Amino acid sequence: MRLRDYLPYRLSVASNKASGLIARAYQARFGLTIWEWRVIAVLGEGAPLTAQAVCEATAMDKVTVSRAIRALDARRLVKRTPRPADKRASDVTLTPEGQAIYLEIAPMALHYEAALLEGFSEEERAQLTTLLDKLEARLAGLTAAGGDAP
Amino acid sequence: MRLRDYLPYRLSVASNKASGLIARAYQARFGLTIWEWRVIAVLGEGAPLTAQAVCEATAMDKVTVSRAIRALDARRLVKRTPRPADKRASDVTLTPEGQAIYLEIAPMALHYEAALLEGFSEEERAQLTTLLDKLEARLAGLTAAGGDAP
DNA sequence: TGAAATTAGTTGCAAATGATACTATCTTGT
DNA sequence: ACAAGATAGTATCATTTGCAACTAATTTCA
């Protein structure tokens, strides 16, 4: 077997390079970690989300989400509104400052994505989407089956 | 922008799930980290490599490589032979025990890869390879350009 | 030649990370 | 109603990670 042809390895290298590239930009321009950015990205769609909902939307661990939200709250980029119906949870939304950052950072993110895909034909982009869909579906199946649940 | 459609995010999620799945298996069956496994994988091809060469072959940081090799050395899975020509470097090779683990673990790795790609047609596999090649090429270009070198 | 710069590899330290346990609240079943 | 269990989110602690500094050996080039 050749490591350089091994799919999980290739995914890992590609993902780390892409994330690293973009994370450096977020860090340099806004002082945001990649997780803080992810939280902002999902909140940028407008709807208030609980931390739990953020977990699901970002594929992040609940501890990571908790810390990201706390950091964003400390910088007044998000606001937490305790739910009357369930006092354990809070609705999280972007503050106007958070919105402003979102509106600045989202185009930058899309620009990076466009740079990554420069030179890809429309057909290739569609293929990539389809293949990632299939891969995700397989992974969902495998992780569900393989987990040593109690 | 929608995070769930954002390419770097999708790569990250897919990569983490795939790596996590496989890493758990290596850990459970052989007590190897994913980095130790990567070192074994490249040494399994037969040629002795210096730590530096391992870095290049595995896309790992030199600190990570150093630690992985030390751990493998402590378990007698690799042997370090100081080079006469350059006393800073050592040639690293698998010991017979390391070879044995390689021969056991490599088929397992390929089995996982096959499981990931189950349901992919030959054409789709070829597409995936081609797209990853292109993506890697783009990333190599972007990271080379973007680095804020001194 | 030999001083300055480079490279191989390791180590130290601080920050990031993740599993586990914990508090507070809510839901369920009797 | 209320005990037993589930859930939201946080805190704690040990491990992992990664940068930067370090040692030792090698190369460069004036």
Side-chain angles (χ1 to χ4, degrees), chain A residues 24 27 38 71 87 97 122 127 129 138:
Chain A
R24 219 168 307 132
Q27 180 62 52
R38 279 194 194 173
K87 288 183 218 153
E97 297 90 330
E122 272 313 312
Q127 286 173 358
T129 299
R138 290 295 303 146

Side-chain angles (χ1 to χ4, degrees), chain A residues 51-52 62 66 80 88-90:
Chain A
Q52 168 58 25
K62 70 176 181 170
S66 174
R80 282 191 273 198
R88 295 169 303 177
S90 292

Side-chain angles (χ1 to χ4, degrees), chain A residues 30-94:
Chain A
F30 303 98
L32 293 175
T33 68
I34 202 161
W35 292 278
E36 289 159 15
W37 148 245
R38 279 194 194 173
V39 172
I40 288 182
V42 295
L43 293 178
E45 303 194 23
L49 296 176
T50 64
Q52 168 58 25
V54 171
C55 287
E56 282 157 20
T58 59
M60 285 161 61
D61 183 83
K62 70 176 181 170
V63 176
T64 313
V65 167
S66 174
R67 293 202 260 241
I69 289 177
R70 175 165 37 164
L72 292 172
D73 191 31
R75 288 179 58 184
R76 311 288 167 189
L77 300 180
V78 302
K79 184 159 60 82
R80 282 191 273 198
T81 318
R83 287 192 164 212
D86 184 344
K87 288 183 218 153
R88 295 169 303 177
S90 292
D91 275 325
V92 185
T93 52
L94 291 181

